[in-house]
Amino acid sequence: MPTYTTRPSHPADPAGVPHEAHEAQARRTSPLLLALLVLALVALAAWWVMQRYDARPVADTTPILIEPSAAPTDAAQTRDGDAATRTAPRAAAIVSERPARPLAGNPVPDYPRAALRAGQEGSVLLSISIDARGVPTDVQVIQRSGDRSRDFDRAAIEAVRQWRFEPALHDGKAVPSTVQLPVDFRRS
């Protein structure tokens, strides 16, 4: 009867170690090298996020004063009054760095009727996230004072969500940003 010898499908090297073991050793990566690669990727991601989302507050935080308005008696008076308050356009300067700024003509928050009847006054400080197109993406109340009526919060947030801004500029390019805006509700 003939004798058969079995041979491995992969021959071994002269030291008797199969080729698969050599391939596994060649594929193994140093843990230090892997840690450095992960650290570099995290640092790159953090740098990219910081460049993309420059969240500097607006330098000019002049509060908006909201007072109850008297109803105009004549529509013509309203139109003439609006025309008188307009100013001539200014020459635009070339700017490479600038915080976001509200555009003219944004609606002023309405004084809440319930707060007006109750004689309430207060202030709301808003944090407004603005995208690179100048559109508010998130509006949050970060501080309130005076009569802490939620009506003031709602009125300010509803108005500001409709606003449009000149987007912030960084190196001459429009970038997303966050601004803080105080809104005061005072009776006259």
Side-chain angles (χ1 to χ4, degrees):
M1 170 171 221
T3 316
Y4 294 102
T5 53
T6 59
R7 298 177 72 197
S9 61
H10 297 288
D13 69 354
V17 178
H19 284 286
E20 292 140 1
H22 283 295
E23 290 173 4
Q25 282 181 344
R27 278 189 248 135
R28 200 173 315 151
T29 305
S30 164
L32 179 61
L33 183 60
L34 186 59
L36 288 174
L37 178 62
V38 169
L39 182 64
L41 288 174
V42 169
L44 179 65
W47 174 82
W48 182 80
V49 167
M50 290 178 67
Q51 293 297 317
R52 184 155 168 83
Y53 299 104
D54 185 21
R56 290 178 288 183
V58 172
D60 178 25
T61 56
T62 306
I64 297 175
L65 181 60
I66 310 300
E67 296 178 344
S69 60
T73 57
D74 185 12
Q77 283 180 336
T78 304
R79 277 179 289 185
D80 294 340
D82 289 345
T85 59
R86 291 187 196 136
T87 58
R90 292 183 273 166
I94 298 175
V95 178
S96 66
E97 300 290 327
R98 179 192 72 214
R101 299 185 292 202
L103 293 176
N106 284 329
V108 175
D110 293 325
Y111 205 108
R113 291 182 186 183
L116 185 59
R117 281 193 302 266
Q120 295 177 327
E121 294 183 342
S123 297
V124 177
L125 181 61
L126 300 175
S127 174
I128 308 164
S129 297
I130 303 162
D131 68 11
R133 297 173 298 146
V135 177
T137 56
D138 187 34
V139 180
Q140 296 182 358
V141 174
I142 56 175
Q143 186 179 17
R144 61 182 67 79
S145 62
D147 292 323
R148 297 173 183 231
S149 171
R150 298 282 182 195
D151 294 335
F152 294 143
D153 297 355
R154 281 189 290 276
I157 289 172
E158 285 175 17
V160 170
R161 282 188 178 148
Q162 299 172 30
W163 284 19
R164 295 301 173 256
F165 291 79
E166 284 185 58
L169 293 180
H170 181 69
D171 291 333
K173 294 180 184 176
V175 295
S177 63
T178 301
V179 297
Q180 292 182 359
L181 178 73
V183 179
D184 292 333
F185 291 90
R186 301 278 179 247
R187 296 179 310 150
S188 21

